[in-house]
Amino acid sequence: MSVGNLNTQGGKGTNFPYQFKVLQGLQCVCDQLKELNIDTSAIEATLLDIEAAIGDLATEATLQVVETNTTGVARTPGIIRPTAAGNVNSVAATFYSVSVANVGTINGIVLGATIKPGEVLNFSADALNNYFTSFAYDATGTEFIIIYIS
């Protein structure tokens, strides 16, 4: 069920309030059917399974952990202009993104592949807490501009 899953309204990105109301409505239907002497054992078993699953939802403590893990962290940008072979890890042990532009007049090598004059390559670790530890290049005879976030 994904009705009303907005970050600006209601449950602020969670469907729990909507799903809980649906379950309450199903329980009411089940109660009404019982009054009419209709067998509701299958419905009751399903409701019990759903209630058990709700018990496994994130608690306030686990939501606090998620919030802590998604808190912003200050990063430091850097730039180098190599004209020889090297590795970004010589200036930053770990880095979260790196871009390289060949601003020279001959081919260079990045991660074992040719980068022609005028080409620009961008790499990002993207997901939360992912990072790079190595980024080999060879700008011998040409010039690179490499920017990185560490």
Side-chain angles (χ1 to χ4, degrees):
M1 295 179 221
S2 60
V3 176
N5 191 15
L6 301 175
N7 288 330
T8 56
Q9 297 176 345
K12 306 278 190 231
T14 175
N15 286 328
F16 179 78
Y18 170 78
Q19 292 169 345
F20 185 66
K21 290 293 184 188
V22 169
L23 291 175
Q24 287 177 324
L26 289 173
Q27 185 63 56
C28 182
V29 168
C30 189
D31 293 342
Q32 294 296 321
L33 290 172
K34 278 184 185 177
E35 287 181 18
L36 297 172
N37 291 323
I38 296 175
D39 182 21
T40 59
S41 59
I43 296 171
E44 289 173 340
T46 302
L47 286 174
L48 288 174
D49 290 342
I50 293 170
E51 287 172 0
I54 288 175
D56 294 334
L57 291 176
T59 63
E60 188 64 31
T62 58
L63 292 175
Q64 198 67 19
V65 170
V66 169
E67 183 177 332
T68 301
N69 288 338
T70 58
T71 302
V73 177
R75 304 285 185 212
T76 305
I79 186 169
I80 55 177
R81 294 185 73 104
T83 56
N87 198 310
V88 174
N89 66 10
S90 66
V91 292
T94 59
F95 41 98
Y96 303 90
S97 69
V98 61
S99 297
V100 58
N102 185 348
V103 295
T105 57
I106 67 167
N107 294 346
I109 298 174
V110 171
L111 301 174
T114 299
I115 180 171
K116 296 178 180 179
E119 289 184 329
V120 177
L121 303 173
N122 300 299
F123 300 86
S124 177
D126 284 336
L128 184 65
N129 296 325
N130 287 349
Y131 55 87
F132 300 109
T133 58
S134 180
F135 188 85
Y137 58 85
D138 186 352
T140 303
T142 191
E143 182 180 14
F144 287 170
I145 296 177
I146 298 176
I147 59 172
Y148 58 91
I149 304 294
S150 62

